[in-house]
Amino acid sequence: MTDKTLNGSRKRIMPKEVYYQCIWMIRDIDRLEELALNKYLFENCSNSEVAFIADDTQDLISVEIIKEAVRRLECIHDALDTIPEEYRKDIIDIIKKVRPYYPDTAHENTWNKWKHCFIYRLAKNMDMF
């Protein structure tokens, strides 16, 4: 696989595999937020290996999984802070395919620029390259 050149800049090149890992991490944001809501459970019982999450499935979820979900969400939100506020929600929707088209508020190149800036910053935050 070839590397992704972001916005035509040779300084901002990332492996294609990293690019797609970031895309899928963003598409998984709803599940991550659901896991992060249970963060308070493992904070109250820090010696425990497993936190019981009372949800529809009654699954036992490891504390490490919850910590990783919180870390990923922090990285996503930190990366979102680097792009202008008016593009944030729509960029997430575009990546998640909720909105398969670019809004008319800006040109398609502008949307691509901020999307790539967001993905690049997320990959850097996650120490993926």
Side-chain angles (χ1 to χ4, degrees), residues 57-120:
T57 59
Q58 298 295 318
D59 286 340
L60 289 176
I61 299 176
S62 169
V63 171
E64 295 304 316
I65 292 173
I66 296 173
K67 286 181 182 178
E68 180 62 20
V70 169
R71 185 180 81 84
R72 287 181 180 198
L73 274 177
E74 288 171 353
C75 290
I76 289 171
H77 290 299
D78 183 55
L80 270 177
D81 289 342
T82 63
I83 63 173
E85 190 172 339
E86 61 266 18
Y87 297 109
R88 292 177 188 170
K89 183 186 180 316
D90 290 326
I91 291 290
I92 295 290
D93 288 348
I94 289 166
I95 293 171
K96 287 173 52 177
K97 305 270 187 206
V98 172
R99 173 176 287 156
Y101 58 89
Y102 295 106
D104 293 335
T105 56
H107 191 271
E108 182 177 337
N109 294 346
T110 305
W111 288 106
N112 283 329
K113 171 190 170 191
W114 291 116
K115 177 178 142 184
H116 290 144
C117 287
F118 170 54
I119 292 170
Y120 178 81

Side-chain angles (χ1 to χ4, degrees), residues 20 28 34 37-38 68 94-95:
Y20 286 111
D28 192 34
E34 185 178 316
L37 286 175
N38 298 303
E68 180 62 20
I94 289 166
I95 293 171

Side-chain angles (χ1 to χ4, degrees), residues 1-83:
M1 282 189 155
T2 59
D3 293 342
K4 285 290 275 184
T5 303
L6 302 177
N7 298 336
S9 173
R10 290 282 173 209
K11 294 179 182 175
R12 295 183 16 174
I13 296 177
M14 76 169 64
K16 202 175 225 181
E17 294 85 358
V18 171
Y19 177 83
Y20 286 111
Q21 284 179 34
C22 290
I23 291 289
W24 282 104
M25 189 184 317
I26 296 163
R27 288 180 180 169
D28 192 34
I29 197 169
D30 295 331
R31 186 185 66 87
L32 294 174
E33 286 174 344
E34 185 178 316
L35 284 171
L37 286 175
N38 298 303
K39 180 181 176 182
Y40 72 93
L41 288 175
F42 75 84
E43 286 178 345
N44 293 335
C45 50
S46 59
N47 295 335
S48 175
E49 288 282 325
V50 176
F52 180 71
I53 308 301
D55 63 357
D56 296 349
T57 59
Q58 298 295 318
D59 286 340
L60 289 176
I61 299 176
S62 169
V63 171
E64 295 304 316
I65 292 173
I66 296 173
K67 286 181 182 178
E68 180 62 20
V70 169
R71 185 180 81 84
R72 287 181 180 198
L73 274 177
E74 288 171 353
C75 290
I76 289 171
H77 290 299
D78 183 55
L80 270 177
D81 289 342
T82 63
I83 63 173

